Amino acid sequence: MPALLESLKSEWVMGVKSQSKEPLYHKLYVLLRNSITNGSVEFGAQMPTEQQLSNAFGISRITVKRAMDDLAAENLIARQRGKGSHVTYRYEPEPVSAPLVGMLENLEEMSKHSSVRVISIESLVPPADVRETLRLNTDGTALKILRVRSNEDGQPYAYYVSWTKADKKRFTKKRVESKTRIALLKESGTRIARVEQTLSAENADAGVGALLDVPVHTALLALTRQSFDDAGDMVDILFGLYNPKLFAYKMVLGLDH
Amino acid sequence: MPALLESLKSEWVMGVKSQSKEPLYHKLYVLLRNSITNGSVEFGAQMPTEQQLSNAFGISRITVKRAMDDLAAENLIARQRGKGSHVTYRYEPEPVSAPLVGMLENLEEMSKHSSVRVISIESLVPPADVRETLRLNTDGTALKILRVRSNEDGQPYAYYVSWTKADKKRFTKKRVESKTRIALLKESGTRIARVEQTLSAENADAGVGALLDVPVHTALLALTRQSFDDAGDMVDILFGLYNPKLFAYKMVLGLDH
DNA sequence: ACATGTTGTTATAATATTATATCTTATCGA
DNA sequence: TCGATAAGATATAATATTATAACAACATGT
């Protein structure tokens, strides 16, 4: 038996017993995918045949085929009748990314090179943590705005949820897409005097994953920005999630000591 | 219609159209769960009844029931015939990240409330990307240090990999654990004049996950810190991964305009 | 006791998923 | 051209999932 097949079989008998519930074809798919993406099987090399895997693992060829088809659908392998399946994925030790860098100083600059799509604007009852900090109008609602920001290539890189203590009239879709929320607040007489920001990280859920075009569970850079007016009252809170492949937060510090 | 139900309905019509494929009962479950865990519905409050949700959302009561049953199975609500379903989950406004650390100014402060464990110190040939930016000594090696930082409760919250252009003699395990790397560099005559930091996010792999005591794939706050001396040469590069549950990066900005 | 409101139980139809077998077609070397 | 290797196509049986309906049982106020 070829060394690769031997190695896979060994992993298979381990993995099958531990992880349960998932269908066979999917467990096999994951196993094979890992062997490709971690470089165990090199670019261009032939995968074990359906028959080989079927025999070695004791499952039907069709089930193996299903897993292989899934790999092909992800463009990890190319399949051909009579020839076999060959790896089309090129293993790169470290895919270096050159993300768009945002600095505090040039938030306006940033918006020049990107566009915003407003998903929704609604007056809703906010979650308790927001409700507590934001002082609310009589009906207990605030303006919830969902937005996605994309770069010049049309790739979405940021997802925002904001809660604003403001009038719905001034915040039409059009206006929000063309101006910053801060500017709109200014119009209605609210001046932002202080901003607190917290940077953290969060996993993408299905919804955000779809909007930012990243797989579920991708690590995203998370920003919470609380804006306060002159009186020290919070008038706006923004939660942002950034695709780290496309956006990173850079700062330069000068030291004296 | 009650405000809460109104609010939920609004979210429902949004979410159902965008997110696809998942079964209705699960989408509803997620929607309701969020409204509970984020505190929109308070502890003890009565949930909308199955009939109400069924009518408002245009799905069968049984499907609603399934979602509610799932909530009950998670002990988020208690259900009772004739009475209704009531929230049993107590919303806690989450004590915002314990070590809230700002910038370089209070790095020393931070180290007072935490401890460092050095995993390894080695002179190695760094990977290509590090090697390029760091100007190296004759033998082409740099000092690679792996560390884990824990808070006062012994919980590990940061994992560091650093590459330093320095003498191994000065960087013994003991010394690294008691002093900052910056201070040690200072001793050897290297003064840090400028620092560039980039914040991003990264998924925990198995190794880091074990060290930080988080599940694989947890989103971690990722920091890259490049330190430059007077001459503008980079003398140190640090890659840090932080558990966002225990550490967040906070900054306060005053606005003039 | 009874009407009303609310969840629990049981049954069921439609569809999707999972794993299999059988037959077909393309590739390539002898 | 033939035989050995591969993957593709079609069919199918057993389950699981999803969404529904109709009826039963409990809680509460009048």
Side-chain angles (χ1 to χ4, degrees), chain B residues 4-28:
Chain B
L4 172 63
L5 188 56
E6 190 82 59
S7 196
L8 288 172
K9 182 177 179 181
S10 152
E11 286 193 63
W12 176 254
V13 291
M14 297 287 303
V16 165
K17 287 181 183 170
S18 67
Q19 296 174 27
S20 52
K21 205 67 182 67
E22 278 171 292
L24 287 174
Y25 74 86
H26 189 254
K27 283 193 275 196
L28 179 56

Side-chain angles (χ1 to χ4, degrees), chain A residues 218-236:
Chain A
T218 301
L220 302 174
L221 182 62
L223 167 74
T224 303
R225 177 184 297 159
Q226 301 171 298
S227 303
F228 301 84
D229 64 13
D230 299 298
D233 287 335
M234 191 192 306
V235 292
D236 183 82

Side-chain angles (χ1 to χ4, degrees), chain A residues 104 120 122 124 127-129 131 193 195-203 217 219-220 244 249-251 253 255-256, chain B residues 7 10 14 38-40 91 191 193 195-203 217 219-220 244 249-251 253 255:
Chain A
L104 286 191
S120 71
E122 295 173 285
L124 292 176
D129 54 345
R131 196 172 40 201
V195 171
E196 282 187 26
Q197 291 195 135
T198 304
L199 286 161
S200 184
E202 221 169 274
N203 288 106
H217 253 77
L220 302 174
Y249 216 90
K250 184 172 181 179
M251 57 196 89
L253 312 168
L255 297 189
D256 308 323
Chain B
S7 196
S10 152
M14 297 287 303
N38 71 21
S40 290
Y91 171 74
R191 215 185 74 102
V195 171
E196 283 187 25
Q197 292 194 134
T198 304
L199 285 161
S200 183
E202 222 169 273
N203 289 108
H217 253 75
L220 302 174
Y249 212 92
K250 184 174 182 176
M251 59 194 90
L253 313 168
L255 296 189

